[in-house]
Amino acid sequence: MNAKAEDIYSKALKADNLNAAIAAIRELRGITELYAKITGELQSQTVNNIIIAPEWVNLRNVILAALEPYPEARRAVIEAVGRVET
């Protein structure tokens, strides 16, 4: 498939058919990505960044506000959360 896509790309360039050339490049990218996944060179994983989630921001603010009467506990929570967020 890779050789065929490369052949189509070369012919499209020679014919000055940019749409076909771009389509062939897209296919080559897909083939390369699939090959990398199969061989383990590319790992797919979802990353959830809770630090910027609005729910986390709201919860963090509520916790810190509740801890205002307890400055030592508030400071300890801020330090602990800071270690987790970095």
Side-chain angles (χ1 to χ4, degrees):
M1 289 181 72
N2 194 56
K4 188 68 174 169
E6 287 179 359
D7 185 48
I8 291 169
Y9 173 71
S10 294
K11 289 178 181 175
L13 278 182
K14 288 178 186 173
D16 201 29
N17 185 344
L18 297 181
N19 288 332
I22 290 170
I25 289 172
R26 195 174 300 120
E27 289 303 315
L28 286 165
R29 184 208 49 84
I31 292 166
T32 303
E33 181 179 352
L34 179 60
Y35 179 77
K37 285 180 182 177
I38 290 170
T39 60
E41 294 177 41
L42 180 64
Q43 305 272 331
S44 296
Q45 64 186 46
T46 302
V47 176
N48 294 319
N49 192 347
I50 191 170
I51 296 168
I52 61 171
E55 296 84 4
W56 163 245
V57 173
N58 290 336
L59 178 61
R60 183 182 63 195
N61 291 338
V62 168
I63 292 169
L64 293 178
L67 289 171
E68 281 188 26
Y70 313 98
E72 289 181 33
R74 187 173 192 271
R75 193 170 21 263
V77 169
I78 290 170
E79 289 174 11
V81 170
R83 285 192 300 271
V84 171
E85 289 184 350
T86 57

